[in-house]
Amino acid sequence: MAKSPELEHPNKAFGWAARDTSGLLSPFNFSRRVTGEKDVTFKVLFCGICHSDLHMVKNEWGSSIYPLIPGHEIVGVVTEVGSKVQKFKVGDKVGVGCMVGACHSCDNCDNHLENYCPKMILTYSAKYYDGTITYGGYSDTMVSDEHFVVRIPDNLPLDAGAPLLCAGITVYSPLRFYGLDKPGMHVGVVGLGGLGHVAVKFAKAMGVKVTVISTSPNKKKEALEHLGADSFLVSKDQDQMQAAQGTMDGIIDTVSAQHPLLPLIGLLKTQGKLVMVGAPEKPLELPVFPLLMGRKLLGGSCIGGMKETQEMIDFAAKHNITADIEVIPIDYVNTAMERLLKTDVRYRFVIDIGNTLKSSN
Amino acid sequence: MAKSPEEEHPQKAFGWAARDSSGLLSPFHFSRRETGDGDVTIKILYCGVCHSDLHNVKNEWGFTMYPIVPGHEIVGTVTKTGKNVKKFKVGDRVGVGVIVESCKRCESCQQDLENYCPQTILTYNSYSQDGAKTYGGYSDIVVVDEHYVLRFPENLPPDAGAPLLCAGITVYSPMKYYGITEPGKHLGVAGLGGLGHVAVKIGKAFGLKVTVISTSLKKEEEAINKLGADSFLVSSDPAKMKAAINTMDYIIDTVSAVHPLGPLLSLLKLNGKLINVGLPEKPLELPIFPLAMGRKLVGGSDIGGIKETQEMLDFCAKHGITADIELIKMGDINTAMERLAKSDVKYRFVIDVANSLSQ
């Protein structure tokens, strides 16, 4: 008979888990494995709430394994390292993002693209090498193979830095890969949420001119004055959109709701690139004529490899880029999820695990 | 009062035109401008029948201006040159493709990408800078600014080479731009018509492994034995499609019917590129998850600039690449159009203009 989550591993752990598709989270006793020779164990201090967590607790993608502890923007302080660990020591500030395992032998892994490895293991709701289910960062401790741990530089605040581990790399990677990082370029960012606001900050730090494209005119002031965007386009305003036709080298589209692509393709210059990082569940409609007539392209991107994630964290530390966050206690998490559903947050909730997640044991 | 097509220019011309959206073509008297200082006048020998011609004669794209003389795969001989013309002389074998004018000043024109100039003038159904409508190659002569005329290589047969002027450049340009030229890589070609069959030949010349992706099993034998494709994938066979998942570095999609992109995307490896060169009238269904999960991209491409068109012709001449054609008389054009609508041609009709266009 399979062991219960509490008994399957030797080290006690505590977190909050969803038990069913209602997605409601509540206290959950479970266990973590012993620190293996290549593992890093750390006390979790903060964990960001990614919109993916909301999709997963409700099984919206059909892949959820209950009970499910979400959280893949995890930061904390190392408490134990395995005998073969080289990069970290006790007391180091570290983070773990969306992955905790990969095959290490395919072309993708060899090219530091663990995120595209067909055997990549997600930080939560996935089957680990030992057959047990992975549990994420809404919990008091985390154990991870050192390969999937990043160092958090001293000058990066842990709470506001946590969301970079998913939101940050998700927008940083395509800005680099699709060459939308050259000073003087003009890049549009569609959607001003967790991904979007970080995209604006990274692009500005790369010397790029940034236009935020949004359905909500009331986000304009903040986009320009607080986030540093150069301009703001209300996507439902035909005149504004028309005036901006053919002006952008690239667009990072963070919107996961269904939305039309034609107006966005029109904003691109000849040879412009529209990059999808939001994940609508249903297919979108792609008009082909405008793609051809300007030799434009539409690409996708999914998080980033470990080497690039560390590079992104170091870049953020150097340029003082962090997420704009609302820190919450763990027992606010269900309310936070409801607000997240209505995009009522500027722009990421971060759970203060260290101070508020206490086991009743 | 506006002059009639016959009277608006000094040089008499004769061709076949469609008058309405039935698309039926019939004899048409019109005229060509005087050979300007920078112009070349060409006696037309052959003209390919591109599927765009069919779309245009029936006004399927909604911007046809009747009467319309189609034809943008033109090969002929120079009969007159303007006094400033440097590249050509009387008697030269030349070609004219899809573009006859552009602004020459914008960024695209400066980069030899006249095809992306916002003021491109097309070989037919466009308004020239002098205000007159352009008429295409289903006619006896054409007058073109030398910049937009291609030197037609001697060793390329003028009839089988004519389709390269549109079909050829339409697949060659994206292959260069998107890097689909590395020997040993695997290219899928979706659709085996005018564009598709040329893509197979050019792909093989680049040293690529080529798989034809088609709904029609009966095209397999020819794809492999005659065109030189390495393999053939029937897209309507789920088991075969599943077995081919994650095997291709690129796909050139020449299909102009509406079709879902999901199945094609799944055939691509990580970082794979799906390039659309066909022109479906309606938007296509694009699932985003597989795009993101495999960092794949969907790109478009539209013919090519003049410099690249010349490069393509020289490349094809060097590698002995021509289209597979069915030569027809001008008088058979309407039947040919009907057959083209049913994709009943291997793989391009070419009109023997000089020998069959009589007044």
Side-chain angles (χ1 to χ4, degrees), chain A residues 20-296:
Chain A
D20 57 40
T21 59
S22 70
L24 287 169
L25 294 134
S26 57
F28 176 67
N29 291 321
F30 68 111
S31 49
R32 294 279 190 197
R33 65 178 184 270
V34 162
T35 310
E37 52 187 16
K38 292 198 195 157
D39 284 338
V40 170
T41 296
F42 61 97
K43 173 179 157 64
V44 178
L45 293 178
F46 296 98
C47 188
I49 298 184
C50 177
H51 206 127
S52 303
D53 296 347
L54 179 51
H55 289 302
M56 287 296 284
V57 294
K58 295 190 167 194
N59 196 21
E60 283 173 2
W61 291 334
S63 59
S64 301
I65 305 171
Y66 296 107
L68 187 152
I69 299 184
H72 56 208
E73 296 180 335
I74 318 169
V75 296
V77 174
V78 179
T79 54
E80 196 183 346
V81 298
S83 57
K84 292 198 172 149
V85 167
Q86 313 214 308
K87 296 191 287 179
F88 302 100
K89 59 186 191 310
V90 171
D92 281 350
K93 286 191 274 192
V94 294
V96 165
C98 303
M99 309 181 275
V100 290
C103 82
H104 297 303
S105 57
C106 68
D107 274 350
N108 295 331
C109 285
D110 285 343
N111 288 321
H112 305 292
L113 293 170
E114 300 88 348
N115 47 323
Y116 299 114
C117 167
K119 297 191 175 157
M120 185 267 285
I121 301 175
L122 297 171
T123 300
Y124 64 84
S125 189
K127 208 176 199 184
Y128 200 62
Y129 308 117
D130 62 2
T132 63
I133 302 303
T134 54
Y135 293 113
Y138 296 16
S139 61
D140 55 0
T141 62
M142 187 67 197
V143 183
S144 168
D145 182 312
E146 95 171 301
H147 186 88
F148 297 94
V149 178
V150 290
R151 171 186 321 288
I152 308 288
D154 280 327
N155 68 316
L156 202 62
L158 286 180
D159 52 358
L164 296 175
L165 290 160
C166 179
I169 186 60
T170 296
V171 298
Y172 180 90
S173 187
L175 282 168
R176 292 290 193 210
F177 181 69
Y178 289 99
L180 299 176
D181 55 352
K182 314 275 178 292
M185 280 190 155
H186 181 189
V187 171
V189 175
V190 188
L192 201 61
L195 291 178
H197 90 291
V198 174
V200 173
K201 295 187 185 197
F202 275 128
K204 289 305 300 169
M206 291 167 180
V208 165
K209 171 179 162 185
V210 177
T211 294
V212 169
I213 303 151
S214 171
T215 49
S216 339
N218 56 17
K219 293 189 178 182
K220 180 176 179 175
K221 186 163 189 281
E222 184 146 314
L224 298 178
E225 293 174 18
H226 176 68
L227 296 173
D230 296 275
S231 53
F232 190 94
L233 267 185
V234 180
S235 48
K236 293 181 177 167
D237 184 325
Q238 305 267 33
D239 294 333
Q240 280 186 32
M241 290 294 275
Q242 186 60 33
Q245 291 281 291
T247 57
M248 300 182 192
D249 296 282
I251 294 173
I252 304 275
D253 186 350
T254 74
V255 175
S256 49
Q258 294 293 112
H259 60 290
L261 295 176
L262 180 61
L264 298 177
I265 295 173
L267 294 174
L268 293 169
K269 296 177 184 172
T270 299
Q271 295 173 159
K273 303 171 189 176
L274 172 56
V275 184
M276 314 299 291
V277 291
E281 312 168 10
K282 293 197 173 52
L284 298 185
E285 261 186 13
L286 176 70
V288 178
F289 252 91
L291 215 60
L292 265 60
M293 294 310 178
R295 193 156 70 175
K296 301 175 183 181

Side-chain angles (χ1 to χ4, degrees), chain A residues 61 108 113 116 177-178 271 276 278-280 283-288 291-293 295-302, chain B residues 113 116 173 177-178 261 270 276-279 283-286 288-289 291-293 295-302:
Chain A
W61 291 334
N108 295 331
L113 293 170
Y116 299 114
F177 181 69
Y178 289 99
Q271 295 173 159
M276 314 299 291
L284 298 185
E285 261 186 13
L286 176 70
V288 178
L291 215 60
L292 265 60
M293 294 310 178
R295 193 156 70 175
K296 301 175 183 181
L297 65 85
L298 187 152
S301 185
C302 178
Chain B
L113 293 171
Y116 298 114
S173 184
Y177 181 67
Y178 290 101
L261 294 177
L270 176 73
N276 283 101
V277 291
L279 289 167
L284 302 185
E285 219 181 62
L286 174 70
I288 303 298
F289 255 91
L291 210 63
M293 296 301 202
R295 196 160 62 177
K296 301 176 185 179
L297 66 87
V298 179
S301 184
D302 181 36

